[in-house]
Amino acid sequence: MFTSPDGLCSIGDLAERAGVTVKTVRFYSDNGLLPESARSAGGHRRYGPDSLGRLRLLRSLRSLGLPVREVRRVLDEEDGAGRVLEDVVAGQLREVGSQLTALRWREAGMRLVLECPSGERAERLRLIGAVAGPPSTAPLARFWRAWLPPRMPARATAAFLEVAVVQPPDAPDPAQVLAFARLNALVTRPCTGAERPQPEAHKASGPRASTVLYAGLAQAYELAGAQVRRGVEPHPGEELDSFVDAYASAYGSRDTTAFRGLLAGQLAADPRIDRYWELTAEVITAPGRPPEPTPGTAHDWLFAALDAQTAAAAG
């Protein structure tokens, strides 16, 4: 409680009690965040007892880095500590997280340039200069949208992109930064249709067949990925059956020994995007850990199992 006869205090007294500058109090008052109670005969600002608590709350909110517009939203609530405060702080926390991620990418990029041989610096600078920090995955999504079967339903495309488009780590090491930069360069370089031919599987008739194929492949890749992670050698089983069934269902065929033989031959001749999956594995694998499985390594595991099975049947 202020001890002046009118129960009010000056701007200087209020600033001193709150531990802020007079300039700060004036700023909040001018912006409508700290209303004055009255003016003295000389035109000086006077503040009531509630102003001290409000000013301390203002200082606390600003210490969290909240912009003035968000502070105003919080103060518009009666107690200044309800749902709006939670939403505002959560939003600020997300923003700080994004800033920290960007800084970690910048730091790893600097280390990448600093620690590499001098003869490689120009190339590495060119690669990392083409990506932001943290980098966008939009070029990767565009690459896959151009590669996937035409007229593939949006839901099926989105489900595949969720698996195929690698998400950059929040705290990368220099090797992961370099891998993502190389991945970005791979998917953005100009190329002709002849350089990126479509697999034979994309000729399955109609959008429905594409949906069936890629939904089945996603399931098969997930099963095979678990085997890859454990270091299990390719072998016939549930994983391979799911893989073959995806193609058989898309083509309207039955899963027979003859069909498996034809599929093995087709897959052996299909174009491959090995470099994409190699770089993806480098991006997602933590330093010092075994490579994480990708749809590419899962596909290779399944194809190896199919190839060995059909070769044994032919022999």
Side-chain angles (χ1 to χ4, degrees), residues 11-225:
I11 189 171
D13 289 339
L14 180 62
E16 184 177 358
R17 286 172 179 254
V20 300
T21 65
V22 170
K23 182 179 179 181
T24 297
V25 178
R26 187 176 293 115
F27 172 80
Y28 290 146
S29 293
D30 290 344
N31 282 275
L33 298 173
L34 185 67
E36 58 197 60
S37 298
R39 290 266 179 158
S40 69
H44 300 293
R45 305 174 200 240
R46 303 284 288 172
Y47 296 90
D50 293 342
S51 298
L52 182 57
R54 188 177 179 89
L55 181 54
R56 285 171 174 165
L57 176 59
L58 276 166
R59 183 183 61 185
S60 297
L61 294 173
R62 291 290 284 163
S63 72
L64 295 175
L66 301 184
V68 170
R69 66 179 183 279
E70 299 294 359
V71 170
R72 191 185 307 278
R73 287 182 58 206
V74 174
L75 293 176
D76 283 343
E77 278 194 323
E78 281 191 18
D79 58 5
R83 170 63 69 179
V84 173
L85 176 60
E86 293 177 10
D87 291 345
V88 167
V89 172
Q92 189 69 11
L93 189 59
R94 288 191 295 271
E95 184 176 336
V96 170
S98 297
Q99 293 170 355
L100 287 174
T101 299
L103 287 173
R104 293 185 187 110
W105 273 83
R106 286 174 57 188
E107 179 190 23
M110 292 176 184
R111 288 172 52 200
L112 177 66
V113 173
L114 187 63
E115 296 168 3
C116 75
S118 58
E120 297 178 14
R121 282 179 182 159
E123 175 64 10
R124 293 196 176 183
L125 280 170
R126 183 188 66 80
L127 285 169
I128 65 175
V131 297
S136 170
T137 59
L140 279 63
R142 286 195 295 269
F143 170 86
W144 284 109
R145 288 183 186 279
W147 188 86
L148 289 168
R151 299 182 304 280
M152 188 165 163
R155 182 175 297 181
T157 298
F160 179 81
L161 292 179
E162 188 174 345
V163 175
V165 174
V166 60
Q167 296 303 312
D170 289 340
D173 73 343
Q176 289 172 303
V177 170
L178 180 59
F180 194 95
R182 285 173 170 164
L183 189 59
N184 181 77
L186 175 70
V187 301
T188 56
R189 68 179 177 84
C191 66
T192 64
E195 289 178 301
R196 196 189 296 169
Q198 305 298 298
E200 192 68 24
H202 289 188
K203 298 180 181 178
S205 58
R208 179 187 176 280
S210 299
T211 301
V212 169
L213 174 62
Y214 279 91
L217 288 178
Q219 180 180 354
Y221 291 161
E222 183 176 357
L223 293 171

Side-chain angles (χ1 to χ4, degrees), residues 1-17:
M1 187 72 179
F2 302 139
T3 58
S4 61
D6 60 0
L8 304 179
C9 77
S10 69
I11 189 171
D13 289 339
L14 180 62
E16 184 177 358
R17 286 172 179 254

